[in-house]
Amino acid sequence: MEVVITPAYNPILSNLDISEIKRYAGLHQNFGFSNTMLQKTCSQARILAVPKAIWQVYPYTTKTAAINAIPALTLQGASVRKHLSASVYTAVLAVTIGSILEDETTNYFTKGEYTKGLLLDAAGTTAVEAAADQAAKLIEHEAAKLGCQITKRFSPGYNDFKVTVQPDILALANAKEINVSATASAMLFPRKSITALIGFVPSGTIEVCQTNTCHSCNKINCLARKEI
Amino acid sequence: MIHVFDGAMGTMLQAAGLPAGYCPEQWNIEQPEKVIAVHRAYVLSGADIIETNTFGANRIKLSHYGLSAKVAELNTAAVQAAKKACGPTTKIAGSVSSTGKLVKPLGELDFDTAYDVYLEQITALSKAGVDFIIIETMIDIQEMRAALLAAKAATNKPIICQLSYGADGRTLTGTDPKTAAIILEAMGANIIGANCSLGPAQMLPIVKELASSTTLPISIQPNAGMPELIDGKTLFPMTPAEMGSWAEKLIAAGATYVGGCCGTTPKHIANIKKACENKRPAAREMIRLHTAITSRSKTIYLGKDFPTTIIGERINPTGRKALAADIREGHFIKVKQEAIAQLEAGASILDVNMGVPGIDQTAAMQKAIEELSTLVDAPLAIDTTDPAALEAGLKAYPGRALINSVSAEPERLESFLPLAKKYGAAILCLPIAPGGVPATAEERVAIIKEITAKAITQGMRPQDFVLDALVMTVAANSAAAKETLHTLKLYREQFGYPSTMGLSNISYGLPRRDLLNSAFCAMSIASGLDAPILNPYDKTMQDILAAAAVINGHDASGKNYSIRYAPANDTETVTRTASSKPADIFAAIRQTVLHGEKEAVVPLIRQALAEGHSSVEITEEALTAAMNEIGKDFGTGRVFLPQVLLAAETMRAAFQTIKEVLPNQKSDKLGTVILATVKGDIHDLGKNIVAALMENNGFEIIDLGKDVDAATIVKEAAAHNASIVGLCALMTTTLPQIDHTIAALKAAGSKASIIVGGAVLTEEYAKQAGANAYAPDGVAAVNKAKELLGKA
């Protein structure tokens, strides 16, 4: 398969999952909390988020864990190698919702409206995840055309896949097109951004690894961590 | 008759030696005999229509191969190759597909650029002598719209529009077959269908949905099953015989054009041909085409057979300064807020008016439509008197819009009707003629006849009309309301098209407008009103509409009405179990903090101070006690972080009230805390939460922000004589800065106790880095700080 530069895609956030907002805000799902406040936050996040995604698909060599771009990128870390162990291609994805929402979150804290700040931050996380899921749907379509299924997303920072790879991943995704960059400490800017690898696995040849992303994540104190 | 298309071209060319990564269309010039051979194989296998080898022969796709200057040459050569393979009755369809770029608003490609790209290709195909244009394998309705418009401009040949759907029955960008059919039929497609992505089994329900949504012929070209990658090759599993048996089912469901897409070969087509022999098209159920307005992903039908539809009127800057400023400054935040809020209040269609004096309304309308069409799935009405703004809006809208409005004024008829026809919009017919506003219902009917007759001569259809009954102010003319009601009845009797009107004009100049509007709404619905344009926030109106839906039989068994009005458990906000009446003022204050009721705490604090309690008493007996309690509950999992923050906000309101009442009283602080996210780390949510909780637990907070270097932290700790330094890091890459900062503080002789936290930190790490404490969350940070200062 030839590598054709895929252009940016603007996902549509016509709804956000309130149960995900609750999870990211550290609220127990069955615990009563103002539904009005959650709904308002959900609407506000949809208004402030500017979702953008971009990805490129490269042939992948499992033996050397190499993404065959020019120059090739050899992936370090047993976890990511395992995740892509049946993949013949990998999509390199970058997604963001821009920085307007996070600026408003900071404003809320400055004004002493802490709860709104926390909930909006959680809604921002939900929004960027939803945008990434939509991009993954388009990637799945590309994979299906080749006779492949896709793996779940696997991001730098999961398990032993070090975040220091971010600059390389951003370059492979062509993330400058959507204005996502990494700081010297390999943090993404805007902060509500995601990068990930999605493997293309030949259909029916192997069960696609459905890695629990929380399980793979090093942030053991994350208040949104799913029960494992 | 059933028309049989050919099958896949790309895989056949690869089998004939086309190298991987080579432009397939280049063979139209370089190796035409191989292209002809593929066509001939399909003709011999029974194809009635063969598709040119031009799937990617547009300027953008060809640019990947440096061939963007050869659009005309490659397309012309492709048609010539097809002609050489034709039998005496074979027809040729010029194949057109995606540019590979997404059109705005889903991508960055301008609609006009996409249109130009398609115009160039389709003009070449048409000039070279194709019999059809087939626009296929499209996943974005907006790109399909651009290609269809270009095809309409470039040729008089029949145009086939085929989208690719996923297993969920929608295109990847959310369009369902019914919505696609409504949009494309209105824009002038001749045949509608689907191809690629799915096998015939998955396409069967799509054919059925198309058959129930359009009267146009249906074409269908499935893949030979779902592909599999075997030994590096993409293979399609369905045998030719299986394909043939599926063709019969597709025809029975309503398809009259059947062929194959990826993985199909001449053998598959031969089997399809065999299945089609002597088959007559299935009798299609006679469907009544109702007036429909759509977004990209949602269809709303209007008319007497459907529930009353609210058209939300609030995206209109007339007389609304804040909204006008939002539009003028290009923010569109308030526009978006109005969109979401109106839908939540019950609107189904949103009217969009950008009539801010002095702005570029064309640009504003385009931006509004682009922003709203990615924010909400409700169909839009484009409300303008400016033809340029109207065209910008129609062009940008990936759906079928309602134009608000077309009167019988000559300039409006001349400029708006062609745009409505071109972009497949419905029109709101406004009975106003050059002579002015007609007073009687009969005059209104006469004007509507004039508008619709003119529209039909322009190629519009009955299902394109929505009639406005015209509402005049009853305070100025006591017969105004009766005349409108009479107009609605005449519209229903004489036309049967759905009706609308700007309802709230009726009450202008009178008190309790909501009451008059609601009563008028109920009477209008009874007289035949289908889609009122109104303010959906009006509670009385919502009540009337909910009741009317039950009465008119549009709310089966009153189900929605019951959900709305039956007494229900109030799940609103109770963050903690309501307790009994508080014993004293301190207990009352504690309760407001625990419940996070920041508005309620203010009068209680004032009352406590007025009763002679000191601020120290209030703080210790009520506020701190409450925060301690909620902190404990957080620790045991009885409450969660948002509730803790609501409590902190309530504390803040309480402290601010004390300051307002006793401005000169100095409050004693537990200690000064320097807070920072360390150098290189730009995350600050956790640090902000800690700051909020500590501040409202009596600490003086110096928040240095994020990405703060060790030297600054050392300097500020000394300058403020800090008792605590709180450091935060979220990423493994910035953890070393925790060690570095602690070392710097110690080297500088800082006496401050150091607390660290953040997602990647642990108790062990804190110890080895030399911190005095580790806090896994904000509540723990408060407790640790108090312990370290001996104030727990």
Side-chain angles (χ1 to χ4, degrees):
Chain A
M1 181 185 139
E2 81 224 75
V3 175
V4 176
I5 298 295
T6 307
Y9 163 60
N10 306 325
I12 297 176
L13 298 178
S14 56
N15 210 356
L16 294 178
D17 184 347
I18 286 193
S19 67
E20 283 294 278
I21 299 176
K22 286 174 84 172
R23 182 166 75 83
Y24 289 121
L27 268 171
H28 193 280
Q29 292 301 333
N30 298 325
F31 193 87
F33 189 78
S34 170
N35 207 33
T36 310
M37 202 166 182
L38 287 164
Q39 279 288 359
K40 279 189 178 166
T41 305
C42 179
S43 302
Q44 190 184 14
R46 285 170 54 207
I47 288 164
L48 297 178
V50 186
K52 287 186 180 296
I54 193 162
W55 64 91
Q56 312 301 329
V57 178
Y58 299 95
Y60 178 73
T61 308
T62 49
K63 201 172 170 190
T64 53
I67 297 177
N68 296 307
I70 303 172
L73 175 69
T74 302
L75 298 175
Q76 306 296 332
S79 58
V80 68
R81 289 178 173 220
K82 186 177 172 218
H83 189 83
L84 297 176
S85 60
S87 300
V88 288
Y89 299 99
T90 182
V92 186
L93 169 70
V95 187
T96 186
I97 57 162
S99 55
I100 299 172
L101 184 143
E102 66 190 47
D103 292 346
E104 190 60 24
T105 302
T106 304
N107 283 342
Y108 275 135
F109 274 96
T110 309
K111 287 189 290 185
E113 297 185 60
Y114 316 126
T115 319
K116 283 186 183 169
L118 174 72
L119 292 178
L120 186 60
D121 183 83
T125 305
T126 307
V128 73
E129 291 286 340
D133 287 344
Q134 281 192 34
K137 237 178 107 182
L138 268 75
I139 292 169
E140 188 175 19
H141 177 71
E142 286 184 37
K145 283 198 282 191
L146 296 167
C148 292
Q149 296 169 259
I150 59 168
T151 65
K152 278 201 165 189
R153 292 188 257 129
F154 202 93
S155 294
Y158 285 8
N159 218 315
D160 63 351
F161 186 29
K162 292 197 166 43
V163 290
T164 45
V165 77
Q166 289 288 25
D168 295 326
I169 297 291
L170 290 171
L172 289 179
N174 200 23
K176 62 179 186 304
E177 284 290 311
I178 59 167
N179 296 318
V180 175
S181 56
T183 65
S185 322
M187 289 184 196
L188 296 180
F189 184 81
R191 278 178 297 178
K192 292 295 178 197
S193 302
I194 289 172
T195 63
L197 301 179
I198 295 176
F200 286 21
V201 179
S203 302
T205 53
I206 194 168
E207 195 176 332
V208 174
C209 172
Q210 297 296 325
T211 306
N212 179 312
T213 50
C214 280
H215 189 242
S216 313
C217 180
N218 291 330
K219 294 170 188 168
I220 55 171
N221 295 321
C222 171
L223 83 176
R225 194 173 176 87
K226 284 180 182 163
E227 291 298 318
I228 297 163
Chain B
M1 76 177 266
I2 307 296
H3 307 268
V4 176
F5 265 107
D6 59 5
M9 169 62 78
T11 44
M12 295 287 286
L13 291 180
Q14 279 166 16
L18 180 77
Y22 201 79
C23 174
E25 288 80 7
Q26 200 160 359
W27 269 22
N28 296 335
I29 298 169
E30 292 175 353
Q31 308 221 33
E33 67 288 351
K34 290 188 175 164
V35 177
I36 294 166
V38 175
H39 286 315
R40 191 161 289 140
Y42 280 121
V43 171
L44 291 173
S45 66
D48 304 308
I49 307 170
I50 55 173
E51 290 191 32
T52 54
N53 179 34
T54 53
F55 184 83
N58 63 67
R59 196 192 314 160
I60 293 175
K61 267 279 175 75
L62 290 175
S63 69
H64 298 311
Y65 309 98
L67 297 171
S68 53
K70 294 197 170 184
V71 173
E73 188 182 350
L74 291 170
N75 280 282
T76 305
V79 178
Q80 286 165 352
K83 280 181 174 174
K84 285 182 183 152
C86 282
T89 58
T90 314
K91 303 284 186 197
I92 299 171
S95 171
V96 175
S97 188
S98 173
T99 62
K101 289 193 171 186
L102 287 161
V103 178
K104 285 180 181 175
L106 289 185
E108 301 306 321
L109 185 64
D110 284 328
F111 189 91
D112 287 337
T113 306
Y115 174 89
D116 289 342
V117 167
Y118 287 121
L119 188 70
E120 181 185 24
Q121 184 190 359
I122 297 169
T123 300
L125 288 167
S126 182
K127 276 189 184 164
V130 296
D131 301 295
F132 298 87
I133 294 296
I134 180 164
I135 307 164
E136 57 184 337
T137 327
M138 295 295 226
I139 59 163
D140 175 16
I141 192 72
Q142 187 68 335
E143 190 174 15
M144 175 61 95
R145 289 178 77 242
L148 175 54
L149 279 181
K152 297 290 289 178
T155 185
N156 293 321
K157 303 290 182 191
I159 300 159
I160 305 167
C161 292
Q162 292 179 171
L163 287 157
S164 280
Y165 295 91
D168 63 352
R170 288 179 180 267
T171 67
L172 275 173
T173 55
T175 305
D176 58 284
K178 174 173 71 180
T179 299
I182 290 165
I183 294 169
L184 298 173
E185 182 172 351
M187 288 180 71
N190 303 97
I191 298 166
I192 290 174
N195 73 293
C196 206
S197 286
L198 301 173
Q202 296 85 3
M203 280 200 179
L204 193 58
I206 291 168
V207 175
K208 288 178 180 170
E209 189 173 336
L210 287 171
S212 65
S213 312
T214 177
T215 53
L216 293 179
I218 296 165
S219 65
I220 202 87
Q221 300 193 62
N223 289 344
M226 305 303 279
E228 293 166 9
L229 189 71
I230 296 169
D231 296 333
K233 285 187 179 171
T234 304
L235 302 175
F236 291 81
M238 187 167 278
T239 64
E242 285 175 296
M243 197 78 180
S245 68
W246 275 106
E248 291 185 36
K249 296 185 180 106
L250 295 169
I251 292 162
T256 47
Y257 291 77
V258 185
C261 199
C262 302
T264 56
T265 62
K267 284 184 182 166
H268 290 86
I269 298 307
N271 277 268
I272 291 174
K273 181 73 176 178
K274 203 170 150 193
C276 295
E277 268 169 359
N278 305 320
K279 281 272 180 324
R280 301 176 72 86
R284 295 262 293 271
E285 195 184 335
M286 284 295 290
I287 55 169
R288 186 159 164 241
L289 294 170
H290 299 283
T291 301
I293 315 295
T294 85
S295 63
R296 173 194 294 280
S297 56
K298 192 173 191 178
T299 293
I300 299 283
Y301 285 108
L302 306 177
K304 69 181 173 59
D305 298 327
F306 304 97
T308 307
T309 303
I310 300 175
I311 303 176
E313 67 179 10
R314 299 287 295 168
I315 304 177
N316 187 331
T318 310
R320 299 176 62 202
K321 282 184 186 168
L323 184 63
D326 180 62
I327 296 167
R328 185 181 296 111
E329 289 155 21
H331 301 314
F332 288 76
I333 297 286
K334 290 193 184 303
V335 170
K336 292 184 190 177
Q337 285 170 342
E338 288 287 2
I340 290 178
Q342 288 186 96
L343 296 177
E344 285 173 353
S348 297
I349 295 173
L350 299 176
D351 190 71
V352 182
N353 181 308
M354 290 290 116
V356 179
I359 66 162
D360 178 351
Q361 286 199 24
T362 303
M365 185 60 84
Q366 181 181 335
K367 184 167 168 65
I369 298 297
E370 282 175 357
E371 296 276 358
L372 292 175
S373 62
T374 51
L375 181 72
V376 297
D377 63 1
L380 303 179
I382 299 175
D383 183 356
T384 181
T385 54
D386 177 352
L390 175 64
E391 180 155 24
L394 291 171
K395 200 183 280 181
Y397 191 50
R400 166 165 150 92
L402 174 65
I403 294 174
N404 183 7
S405 57
V406 178
S407 68
E409 293 152 306
E411 67 278 8
R412 195 68 76 87
L413 290 169
E414 278 162 28
S415 57
F416 276 29
L417 289 180
L419 291 175
K421 171 65 187 159
K422 180 177 177 184
Y423 292 98
I427 56 170
L428 190 156
C429 305
L430 187 68
I432 293 180
V437 177
T440 69
E442 287 75 11
E443 287 173 276
R444 292 173 198 179
V445 167
I447 296 171
I448 291 296
K449 279 184 180 161
E450 186 187 337
I451 296 170
T452 52
K454 189 97 180 180
I456 283 169
T457 63
Q458 300 259 340
M460 297 192 73
R461 312 155 304 164
Q463 65 264 39
D464 294 330
F465 305 134
V466 180
L467 310 184
D468 192 311
L470 215 56
V471 179
M472 310 304 288
T473 305
V474 77
N477 172 8
S478 58
K482 281 204 298 197
E483 211 55 47
T484 300
L485 297 174
H486 185 42
T487 305
L488 286 168
K489 284 181 185 152
L490 291 182
Y491 281 174
R492 179 67 56 88
E493 286 165 17
Q494 298 194 21
F495 301 104
Y497 307 143
S499 59
T500 185
M501 57 195 204
L503 201 132
S504 53
N505 289 349
I506 196 73
S507 59
Y508 189 76
L510 291 170
R512 281 301 306 274
R513 293 189 64 183
D514 60 327
L515 187 58
L516 268 175
N517 291 346
S518 302
F520 186 50
C521 182
M523 295 170 80
S524 299
I525 290 170
S527 299
L529 176 63
D530 300 305
I533 303 172
L534 51 78
N535 176 355
Y537 308 146
D538 184 333
K539 176 79 177 57
T540 317
M541 188 75 80
Q542 287 177 3
D543 292 343
I544 292 291
L545 287 162
V550 181
I551 292 163
N552 278 336
H554 293 310
D555 180 3
S557 311
K559 191 179 163 196
N560 293 333
Y561 184 87
S562 300
I563 292 169
R564 188 179 177 124
Y565 295 106
N569 294 331
D570 185 9
T571 54
E572 274 304 289
T573 234
V574 188
T575 54
R576 295 165 62 88
T577 328
S579 51
S580 55
K581 194 169 186 301
D584 57 26
I585 186 71
F586 293 149
I589 293 170
R590 279 199 300 274
Q591 193 168 303
T592 57
V593 173
L594 293 172
H595 291 180
E597 297 164 336
K598 64 180 172 183
E599 287 80 14
V601 81
V602 173
L604 290 174
I605 295 289
R606 289 182 186 277
Q607 184 190 333
L609 290 168
E611 286 174 4
H613 298 292
S614 72
S615 63
V616 175
E617 266 183 294
I618 296 168
T619 304
E620 287 182 1
E621 299 292 322
L623 299 173
T624 307
M627 278 310 276
N628 286 343
E629 189 179 336
I630 204 159
K632 275 184 199 154
D633 284 352
F634 178 77
T636 56
R638 288 183 61 208
V639 298
F640 301 95
L641 190 55
Q643 286 93 346
V644 178
L645 290 180
L646 278 174
E649 286 179 33
T650 311
M651 292 283 281
R652 188 173 195 262
F655 286 132
Q656 281 175 343
T657 308
I658 293 173
K659 260 189 206 167
E660 277 169 33
V661 178
L662 304 168
N664 298 321
Q665 184 167 324
K666 280 188 81 176
S667 57
D668 288 337
K669 295 288 181 185
L670 295 178
T672 299
V673 180
I674 299 281
L675 284 178
T677 305
V678 294
K679 176 76 184 161
D681 203 315
I682 57 171
H683 297 86
D684 62 356
L685 181 74
K687 186 261 304 165
N688 289 343
I689 291 170
V690 170
L693 295 179
M694 293 192 96
E695 184 169 19
N696 294 298
N697 272 281
F699 292 93
E700 177 77 27
I701 300 297
I702 310 292
D703 186 346
L704 302 180
K706 59 195 173 190
D707 193 13
V708 187
D709 61 28
T712 305
I713 295 168
V714 170
K715 190 177 122 209
E716 294 295 324
H720 294 280
N721 194 23
S723 355
I724 303 274
V725 173
L727 301 175
C728 161
L730 195 91
M731 308 286 282
T732 47
T733 47
T734 52
L735 266 180
Q737 278 295 324
I738 293 274
D739 302 68
H740 176 63
T741 307
I742 293 173
L745 281 162
K746 292 197 168 164
S750 172
K751 297 281 183 293
S753 297
I754 300 163
I755 305 177
V756 296
V760 290
L761 273 144
T762 60
E763 185 90 52
E764 294 70 35
Y765 194 95
K767 261 187 204 158
Q768 67 82 26
N772 300 85
Y774 159 70
D777 56 60
V779 174
V782 172
N783 293 335
K784 296 279 182 188
K786 285 181 178 173
E787 278 171 27
L788 287 168
L789 299 183
K791 298 190 175 169

